[in-house]
Amino acid sequence: MAKVVLNVALSALKYEAMYTGLAKNLVASSTDGRKIQLPLSAFQRFVTHQGIYGFFEVEFDDSNKLISVTKVR
């Protein structure tokens, strides 16, 4: 299993535009500099009135399948 920490900063307006069909994936930078693309739906439970902001630990299995997303701060 692999884990990566992402810094996500997505305003509510941008999230709404993405959610309504303009995009289905979120691209975010990891703390080690990689760009990671994930389904936007994986972050739906973290949406606030401001959007999605914070650091998230993302866990993948050996086939790079998404296992979990956890907000770490």
Side-chain angles (χ1 to χ4, degrees), residues 6-64:
L6 301 177
N7 182 10
V8 178
L10 185 65
S11 71
L13 187 60
K14 198 165 224 175
Y15 174 82
E16 182 181 20
M18 292 173 74
Y19 187 76
T20 57
L22 294 178
K24 296 294 180 195
N25 295 310
L26 172 71
V27 177
S29 296
S30 67
T31 55
D32 64 3
R34 293 180 284 174
K35 296 278 185 190
I36 307 291
Q37 179 176 310
L38 298 162
L40 186 60
S41 60
F43 292 89
Q44 189 170 3
R45 65 189 171 121
F46 302 109
V47 177
T48 67
H49 289 292
Q50 290 78 34
I52 305 171
Y53 291 93
F55 288 86
F56 297 85
E57 183 178 77
V58 181
E59 187 175 4
F60 301 94
D61 68 12
D62 294 333
S63 301
N64 290 324

